[in-house]
Amino acid sequence: MFFKLWPMFKTALPFKLVSFLLLFGILVSCNEDTVEPMGEGSIAGTVITAETGEPIPAASITTTPATTAIVTDAAGKFLLDGIPGGDYNVSAKKNGYKTEAVSVAVMDGKQKQITIVLGRSKDTNSVPNLPAKPSPAVDATNQPTTVTLKWQGTDPDKDPLTYDVFLYEPGATQKKKLAEGLTDTSFVATDLKYGTLYLWQVVATDEIGGLTNGPVWSFSTLPLPDTRYLFARAVDGNYDIYSSTGTEAGIFKLTSSFAREWWPVISPRRDKIAYSSNVTLDPQIWIMSRNGADKRQITTVPVAGYHNLGIGFAWSPDGGYLVYANYDNLYRIDSDGANLRLLAKAPANRHFRMIDWSAQTNRIVVQTIGSNINDSEIYTMNADGSDMKLVVNNLPGRIESPSYSIDGNSIVYTRDIDGFESKEGRQLNAHIFVQKLDGSGVIDISANKPAGTNDLYPRFSPDGSKIIFVNTSNDGISQMDIWMVDALDGKNRVKLFSNASMPEWK
């Protein structure tokens, strides 16, 4: 029997022994790793403003879980001492500021350093003071067309400020924002118009969003100099209109649209300038004051036709209306855009193009052109479109730019004397010619021009002694410059303006 139980005994004994030893080990282990209490620590902190970083005194400090409620001292500092170890949210609160909290873990015998940043509440924020001390002074006169606008800005809460600057003319339907979000108290306004009253205003905003609209101040610019010259100039491929006293230094920009604006023609009264603009896609006639103000479109039927991108129109001698080309139609329209009516029809298969009107004879000279740019003739007619007479035949080479002499007895025009004709319209040797209306007395004004160049767009000076014109290389891609020359014999060629075309001189 004993021998039958022995194998079982041998199996059970080790199992009980192992269990006992394991239990003993666990008890011993628990005794060695007993958790110690976290003890006490402290939290030292500073409360500052979000806007300037300055300390905030007398801010209430509380914790979650609750410990001791205290306030910051004059330097914005506080100390929570003897706090049981653990995780806390420390909150800072003061009237006029948003309440903020910081999480911190307190450990035995340790001091934690924290900073609590408070932003001011919009409910208690003071808006900026009114902008003051403007420069130019209120109602200042004779200011340049580039002027530095200055002002003084302050805030009751000593907040940093930003500024928006607006500039506009009296009666404007919308203020033009010159600058936005400025941190400086000055801004340079450029491209102002001569002889113009301007209103300007500064809007101040603090970091909390408080906003103050400043007073509306005013100043006026210098009177427009005596600018008797007009021309178009291309900058970065975009044409605008300029006026000048006769020197490069005395040039003033009159238009600044994204559109192509060119072919300026001043009225006989010298108070308005007509020009063409494709701001509405089709080239239309616009009118502005001599200083570039009061721009308005007067046509809805475009200046267009064969090889015509808005270059065919002229003032009536009294300045009351204009005539202009629209395909095979020659229209008359009042200077205010009213009373459009047909004056004449071009010969068959031709369109009207460049035009001038003599104040002395009250007759119109006009170029007609076919679909081929080299197919050109020049006619004259009465102011009502009657009595149309051919004065320059369709000669070899391009013929264009007819304009009257001061007495109305002669015309000036250009012709490529080499007779070169390409479908693109390139000219090799365009000369300026003056001739009587009956075709006699032809004078070649360009006999002394540089070889390899073209003389283009001629017009007589106001006293008739000079001709103003464009000279450019015959490569068709080079810069155009404006020159003048003696009208009698083509001598004394003098360059007036660089990078300039389509001259007008009244």
Side-chain angles (χ1 to χ4, degrees):
M1 182 67 177
F2 175 80
F3 292 104
K4 290 182 179 178
L5 297 174
W6 176 245
M8 185 182 296
F9 177 77
K10 286 197 302 180
T11 301
L13 182 58
F15 176 77
K16 292 180 179 180
L17 178 60
V18 170
S19 299
F20 173 78
L21 292 174
L22 287 173
L23 180 60
F24 179 79
I26 291 171
L27 293 173
V28 171
S29 174
C30 289
N31 185 57
E32 289 178 348
D33 294 336
T34 301
V35 177
E36 297 291 339
M38 295 187 70
E40 295 180 344
S42 62
I43 302 173
T46 306
V47 180
I48 61 174
T49 64
E51 292 74 26
T52 64
E54 294 180 349
I56 300 177
S60 298
I61 306 298
T62 58
T63 65
T64 304
T67 55
T68 303
I70 60 174
V71 295
T72 57
D73 62 16
K77 297 183 179 297
F78 65 88
L79 176 63
L80 297 170
D81 200 10
I83 300 175
D87 294 331
Y88 294 88
N89 281 334
V90 182
S91 298
K93 179 179 180 181
K94 184 171 182 177
N95 288 338
Y97 293 88
K98 299 175 183 178
T99 300
E100 301 289 351
V102 173
S103 297
V104 62
V106 175
M107 300 180 67
D108 184 29
K110 304 291 185 181
Q111 185 179 85
K112 290 288 186 177
Q113 298 285 338
I114 64 172
T115 300
I116 304 177
V117 181
L118 302 186
R120 277 202 312 278
S121 169
K122 289 186 178 181
D123 295 337
T124 58
N125 177 56
S126 297
V127 298
N129 295 319
L130 283 171
K133 298 184 178 179
S135 176
V138 177
D139 297 330
T141 59
N142 296 321
Q143 298 301 301
T145 54
T146 295
V147 62
T148 300
L149 305 175
K150 297 181 180 180
W151 61 93
Q152 183 184 81
T154 58
D155 187 83
D157 303 319
K158 298 182 180 179
D159 292 339
L161 300 177
T162 59
Y163 305 95
D164 296 343
V165 182
F166 295 86
L167 182 75
Y168 55 101
E169 298 176 39
T173 57
Q174 188 174 6
K175 299 178 182 179
K176 177 183 178 182
K177 183 181 286 188
L178 287 184
E180 185 175 16
L182 290 177
T183 57
D184 195 7
T185 55
S186 67
F187 184 79
V188 179
T190 61
D191 293 328
L192 303 181
K193 293 179 290 191
Y194 281 92
T196 302
L197 175 66
Y198 284 101
L199 307 177
W200 65 294
Q201 183 180 34
V202 175
V203 178
T205 306
D206 63 25
E207 287 191 347
I208 311 303
L211 181 147
T212 298
N213 291 308
V216 176
W217 299 313
S218 66
F219 66 89
S220 57
T221 52
L222 289 162
L224 181 72
D226 186 17
T227 53
R228 304 187 68 180
Y229 299 87
L230 295 172
F231 57 85
R233 171 175 284 173
V235 177
D236 297 328
N238 186 62
Y239 277 91
D240 280 301
I241 295 171
Y242 295 76
S243 65
S244 177
T245 58
T247 65
E248 288 281 358
I251 291 176
F252 313 101
K253 189 176 182 181
L254 300 181
T255 64
S256 56
S257 170
F258 62 87
R260 181 190 65 232
E261 294 176 323
W262 63 9
W263 207 258
V265 185
I266 195 164
S267 73
R269 301 171 184 169
R270 301 186 73 243
D271 60 341
K272 303 292 182 185
I273 299 170
Y275 63 100
S276 73
S277 172
N278 67 345
V279 69
T280 58
L281 298 183
D282 288 327
Q284 303 285 354
I285 299 176
W286 288 61
I287 288 179
M288 62 181 166
S289 299
R290 286 184 59 213
N291 66 352
D294 305 322
K295 297 179 177 70
R296 65 187 187 278
Q297 179 181 336
I298 67 164
T299 61
T300 55
V301 176
V303 184
Y306 291 142
H307 317 290
N308 189 345
L309 297 176
I311 59 174
F313 52 92
W315 287 93
S316 64
D318 64 1
Y321 50 94
L322 296 101
V323 291
Y324 74 97
N326 171 259
Y327 301 100
D328 61 343
N329 302 309
L330 188 65
Y331 284 115
R332 164 181 163 169
I333 191 170
D334 292 354
S335 61
D336 62 1
N339 299 320
L340 177 70
R341 66 185 179 95
L342 182 67
L343 278 186
K345 298 288 288 188
N349 301 317
R350 308 184 75 80
H351 290 171
F352 291 114
R353 193 165 179 251
M354 297 182 179
I355 305 168
D356 193 27
W357 196 331
S358 171
Q360 297 302 315
T361 63
N362 198 29
R363 282 182 66 85
I364 296 168
V365 62
V366 60
Q367 173 196 10
T368 68
I369 194 166
S371 59
N372 184 330
I373 194 170
N374 303 292
D375 178 12
S376 182
E377 298 172 339
I378 298 176
Y379 291 81
T380 62
M381 67 180 75
N382 289 328
D384 61 4
S386 64
D387 191 28
M388 192 168 174
K389 295 179 178 180
L390 178 65
V391 293
V392 178
N393 289 309
N394 182 17
L395 300 172
R398 284 179 62 176
I399 298 173
E400 60 183 18
S401 301
S403 181
Y404 275 112
S405 62
I406 301 304
D407 61 12
N409 294 323
S410 300
I411 60 169
V412 61
Y413 60 94
T414 64
R415 179 170 69 87
D416 186 349
I417 65 171
D418 284 1
F420 179 75
E421 295 188 358
S422 71
K423 62 181 181 179
E424 294 82 13
R426 180 183 175 185
Q427 301 183 78
L428 295 184
N429 194 14
H431 281 223
I432 298 170
F433 291 92
V434 175
Q435 73 171 52
K436 299 291 186 181
L437 293 177
D438 62 5
S440 65
V442 178
I443 303 173
D444 184 350
I445 300 297
S446 300
N448 300 316
K449 79 172 179 62
T453 67
N454 290 317
D455 284 348
L456 308 168
Y457 305 129
R459 287 182 178 271
F460 281 96
S461 65
D463 64 4
S465 67
K466 303 287 185 182
I467 291 176
I468 191 172
F469 64 97
V470 166
N471 180 260
T472 185
S473 169
N474 68 10
D475 61 12
I477 59 174
S478 294
Q479 173 178 292
M480 293 186 175
D481 302 319
I482 293 177
W483 293 66
M484 70 176 178
V485 66
D486 291 347
L488 182 63
D489 53 16
K491 294 181 179 179
N492 299 315
R493 293 170 68 100
V494 178
K495 184 177 177 180
L496 295 178
F497 310 110
S498 298
N499 184 26
S501 183
M502 305 176 183
E504 169 80 329
W505 187 3
K506 285 280 177 64

